[in-house]
Amino acid sequence: MPWKNQGGGPWGSGPKGPWGSGPQSSGPKPPDLEDLLRRGQDRLQSILPGGHFSAMGIVLLLVAAVAIWALSGFFRVQSEELGVVLRFGQHVRTVGPGLHYHAPYPIESVLLPKALRVSTLSIGMRYDESRRGGSFRDVPEESLMLTGDENIVDVDFTVLWRIKNDGVGDYLFNIQNPEGTVKAVAESAMREVIGRTNIQPILTGARTATETAVQDLMQKTLDSYNSGVLIQQVQMQKVDPPAQVIDAFRDVQAARADLERLQNEAQTYANRVVPDARGRGAQILQAAQGYKEQAVAEAKGQTARFLKVYDEYKKAPDVTRQRIYLETMERVLGSADKVVIDPGSSGQGQGFVPYLPLTELMRRPQAAAQTQQGSTR
């Protein structure tokens, strides 16, 4: 083929020579800038009085622009928000919910943080929506902590926090990641409090004290950062040993509970028996003391009586001897039933004298009266 029939010389066909046929269009053509400017100018002239740029038209345009610029300063603060007004980037005031006004941009601007909303932060657990029905899953790297007696405990807790009413500026300008800061401070405070407490109080009755200590420590730390964050409450959701040893730990806890129960029962028995025994002992001692005093008093009385009788006996032995005999016989025979036998009648063969048993006759009416009275009752 002759060289002239190749259409483009030895480097190929095309009217542009050896480097191809030039750039090809691969899509829609971009709009022409001059055409856009011309169309905008035509529309602007159509709305101006007289159809051209006059002094009056320019004034009206400026007035309209200024009015729109001035009206752009109105803003609304929602119920959960606070409005932080900045003047050339400096915080000048804070406004509450409602409609407010600030100098238009770029003089003033406004930030609207949700300062009145209480936020909840969960540590040691995450809500997993991928599971059926949604549930919380453990995060061991956050929840496993070392106690003061070198045990490991799994602590899941939540923190309720919000922005201080007078600390919105600190919240916006002093911390870059508020939620991350609160989370880091909460985890650090909990680890510090758990690290100086034994495991047994944490698992039983010291939860409230632990929550209060963590809340106070968090607030102190955040205040030192000038963060403008207020910690409202710390709630411990789950406090357990690690899952690998929880069964053995529960057995130990059950044994300790049984030990405490038995100790309490023994103490209760001791509290009941010991005072009773002490009371009986005191009663026996008092009875013995009373018997002692009674015996001593009787012995002293008998001694004094004997001495007085002896003194009288020395003065008149016969009279005293006879008086003592008669008193003794009176005391012995006074309450006895007596039968008098006439010794002079023994010669007649009877052996005794008939007598009237007055005592028996007196006892029978008394016994009958007592029986009747008892039956009446």
Side-chain angles (χ1 to χ4, degrees):
M1 178 184 291
W3 177 82
K4 61 180 180 180
N5 292 333
Q6 294 179 2
W11 297 281
S13 61
K16 300 298 181 180
W19 294 281
S21 57
Q24 303 294 326
S25 176
S26 60
K29 296 178 62 177
D32 189 358
L33 183 58
E34 294 181 358
D35 183 51
L36 291 176
L37 292 176
R38 185 173 60 255
R39 291 180 182 178
Q41 185 178 2
D42 294 340
R43 292 180 181 178
L44 186 59
Q45 289 179 356
S46 64
I47 63 175
L48 290 176
H52 59 278
F53 286 97
S54 62
M56 181 61 68
I58 295 175
V59 171
L60 290 177
L61 285 176
L62 291 177
V63 170
V66 170
I68 295 174
W69 180 70
L71 292 175
S72 65
F74 286 99
F75 65 97
R76 180 180 295 277
V77 180
Q78 301 298 328
S79 60
E80 293 183 349
E81 299 174 340
L82 287 178
V84 180
V85 180
L86 308 179
R87 182 176 299 162
F88 298 112
Q90 182 181 4
H91 180 205
V92 291
R93 67 182 185 276
T94 302
V95 295
L99 184 63
H100 303 276
Y101 181 81
H102 67 83
Y105 183 83
I107 299 176
E108 290 183 350
S109 59
V110 63
L111 298 175
L112 300 174
K114 297 186 180 299
L116 304 181
R117 183 180 65 183
V118 178
S119 301
T120 302
L121 180 64
S122 298
I123 299 178
M125 55 184 176
R126 294 288 185 277
Y127 185 76
D128 192 356
E129 296 181 354
S130 62
R131 297 183 179 182
R132 184 177 181 181
S135 61
F136 286 93
R137 61 178 180 86
D138 290 333
V139 184
E141 58 271 17
E142 295 179 0
S143 61
L144 293 180
M145 303 180 186
L146 188 65
T147 64
D149 52 357
E150 298 182 355
N151 285 304
I152 297 177
V153 65
D154 190 357
V155 181
D156 295 342
F157 65 101
T158 58
V159 178
L160 304 180
W161 65 279
R162 67 177 183 87
I163 305 173
K164 293 183 178 179
N165 294 336
D166 56 348
V168 182
D170 295 335
Y171 174 81
L172 292 174
F173 304 117
N174 290 344
I175 53 177
Q176 184 176 5
N177 183 7
E179 185 173 353
T181 302
V182 173
K183 179 181 177 182
V185 171
E187 186 175 348
S188 175
M190 181 62 75
R191 290 185 182 277
E192 179 175 346
V193 174
I194 294 296
R196 59 172 181 249
T197 309
N198 293 338
I199 189 173
Q200 189 63 30
I202 299 174
L203 296 175
T204 54
R207 289 198 177 189
T208 303
T210 303
E211 293 171 350
T212 303
V214 172
Q215 180 178 352
D216 295 340
L217 182 57
M218 287 185 62
Q219 192 64 61
K220 181 179 179 181
T221 305
L222 292 171
D223 290 344
S224 67
Y225 296 162
N226 293 326
S227 62
V229 173
L230 175 64
I231 304 299
Q232 287 196 326
Q233 190 176 6
V234 175
Q235 297 177 343
M236 300 177 70
Q237 304 295 334
K238 185 190 72 172
V239 182
D240 288 324
Q244 295 83 351
V245 297
I246 190 170
D247 293 335
F249 193 87
R250 286 176 178 172
D251 292 339
V252 173
Q253 294 300 109
R256 288 181 177 176
D258 293 339
L259 174 62
E260 293 179 359
R261 178 178 57 81
L262 294 175
Q263 288 178 344
N264 293 334
E265 292 178 356
Q267 187 64 37
T268 302
Y269 177 76
N271 294 336
R272 185 178 67 253
V273 172
V274 171
D276 188 19
R278 289 177 178 174
R280 290 200 302 268
Q283 181 181 2
I284 294 172
L285 290 175
Q286 291 177 358
Q289 186 68 25
Y291 175 75
K292 172 186 174 182
E293 294 177 356
Q294 178 184 359
V296 172
E298 289 179 355
K300 290 181 179 179
Q302 292 176 1
T303 302
R305 180 176 177 276
F306 178 80
L307 292 176
K308 290 184 177 296
V309 171
Y310 179 69
D311 292 338
E312 296 297 328
Y313 179 80
K314 288 191 299 183
K315 295 177 181 179
D318 297 334
V319 175
T320 304
R321 187 183 302 110
Q322 185 66 24
R323 183 173 62 83
I324 292 174
Y325 173 77
L326 294 176
E327 289 178 354
T328 303
M329 295 303 295
E330 181 182 2
R331 185 172 64 253
V332 172
L333 300 176
S335 59
D337 295 336
K338 295 173 285 296
V339 176
V340 179
I341 300 175
D342 186 6
S345 62
S346 59
Q348 298 177 2
Q350 294 181 354
F352 62 90
V353 179
Y355 75 99
L356 182 63
L358 297 177
T359 56
E360 294 294 333
L361 295 176
M362 293 176 62
R363 288 176 182 175
R364 289 175 183 176
Q366 292 179 356
Q370 291 178 358
T371 304
Q372 183 178 3
Q373 185 177 4
S375 61
T376 303
R377 291 179 180 177

